[in-house]
Amino acid sequence: MFWESTIELSLDCFICERVGRTTALKLGDGRAVCISRKDYKHFAAARISAFDVTSQNALLAVRAVIDFWWVPFQDAKRGGDATPLSRWVRLHYGCYCPHQETSGKGSIQTNVRRPWSPRCGECKTGNC
């Protein structure tokens, strides 16, 4: 198993003035993408400034530092106050499936119930 360099966050976007927007970031990109609707995306002032992967006792850990520009606003549709804190983070990973002899991809989100085991996207087992 290994971490991919793509991260998604729930951020409050001052550009579209909406709270809880899914924001996609990729290591090395100078800006993020706010996915405000299924059919509309726009750039956002955010980037991954540091990304570190460590392994200890067969456990993988990732540390990401995100820089983003934020200003206070009220949600344009629902009127709630914006906050500079993320509500969840989705990390993407890859793994090699020894059963199918192929590699697959998946993701884990911080607001998913624990404990959690990754599931192989190829053979649907948790043994990859």
Side-chain angles (χ1 to χ4, degrees), residues 108-120:
I108 179 64
Q109 198 163 303
T110 55
N111 60 352
V112 172
R113 205 176 98 192
R114 304 289 187 263
W116 174 87
S117 296
R119 290 276 185 224
C120 177

Side-chain angles (χ1 to χ4, degrees), residues 12-74:
D12 295 350
C13 179
F14 69 91
I15 295 171
C16 60
E17 293 186 341
R18 295 298 310 277
V19 300
R21 300 287 89 186
T22 298
T23 306
L25 302 101
K26 186 169 183 173
L27 184 62
D29 287 354
R31 57 189 176 184
V33 175
C34 173
I35 304 167
S36 56
R37 294 190 318 250
K38 289 183 181 182
D39 60 340
Y40 179 73
K41 302 173 184 178
H42 63 82
F43 292 117
R47 69 182 182 97
I48 301 173
S49 62
F51 190 82
D52 182 20
V53 178
T54 60
S55 177
Q56 185 176 22
N57 300 329
L59 296 174
L60 288 173
V62 65
R63 180 185 70 91
V65 177
I66 309 299
D67 288 334
F68 66 98
W69 191 47
W70 180 85
V71 295
F73 65 90
Q74 286 202 334

